[in-house]
Amino acid sequence: GYAGTHWCYLSMGETWRMGIDRKEKIRLVTSGPYRRVRHPIYLFQTVILAGVAVLLPALMAVIIIPLHLVCVWFKAIDEETFLSTVHGSEYHEYCTRTGRIFPWPGG
């Protein structure tokens, strides 16, 4: 999970941001882990949490995984709304061939 997250940061380069700056136009990253998933950092965070649940099996470790997925799902929708306004049809086409959090369309 950590290695995958680092791969995402390297792939994004100068476009990586902690939040959305609605005044900034950023390039659309579609290579590396972004080739199949629009939000691979969220996927790799989920992998990390699953690893914690396996290594430290506790009810809270298991509960946090779906809670995390719900939170990042809504954050991803917000980011996609922004990217859609910045990149228009190019982003919509990208969305048709990639999954949101998991590597399959609609995922």
Side-chain angles (χ1 to χ4, degrees), residues 4-71:
T5 300
H6 186 67
W7 182 30
C8 293
Y9 293 147
L10 291 175
S11 296
M12 288 188 80
E14 79 285 350
T15 63
W16 185 85
R17 302 288 182 275
M18 185 62 131
I20 296 173
D21 181 354
R22 300 197 186 276
K23 294 175 248 159
E24 186 176 18
K25 177 161 171 64
I26 57 172
R27 75 179 170 87
L28 182 60
V29 178
T30 60
S31 60
Y34 295 87
R35 186 176 314 123
R36 301 207 192 296
V37 181
R38 297 189 298 275
H39 305 276
I41 291 174
Y42 300 154
L43 170 63
F44 290 122
Q45 288 174 344
T46 305
V47 169
I48 292 168
L49 291 173
V52 169
V54 169
L55 293 173
L56 304 169
L59 182 58
M60 186 52 97
V62 174
I63 290 172
I64 205 148
I65 295 170
L67 178 62
H68 171 75
L69 285 171
V70 168
C71 291

Side-chain angles (χ1 to χ4, degrees), residues 63-107:
I63 290 172
I64 205 148
I65 295 170
L67 178 62
H68 171 75
L69 285 171
V70 168
C71 291
V72 297
W73 191 267
F74 285 108
K75 183 162 176 33
I77 290 171
D78 184 45
E79 292 170 357
E80 290 178 4
T81 301
F82 167 70
L83 290 169
S84 180
T85 61
V86 171
H87 297 287
S89 61
E90 178 186 9
Y91 188 72
H92 292 292
E93 193 276 320
Y94 171 65
C95 289
T96 64
R97 66 179 196 276
T98 58
R100 177 171 282 146
I101 297 174
F102 299 101
W104 57 78

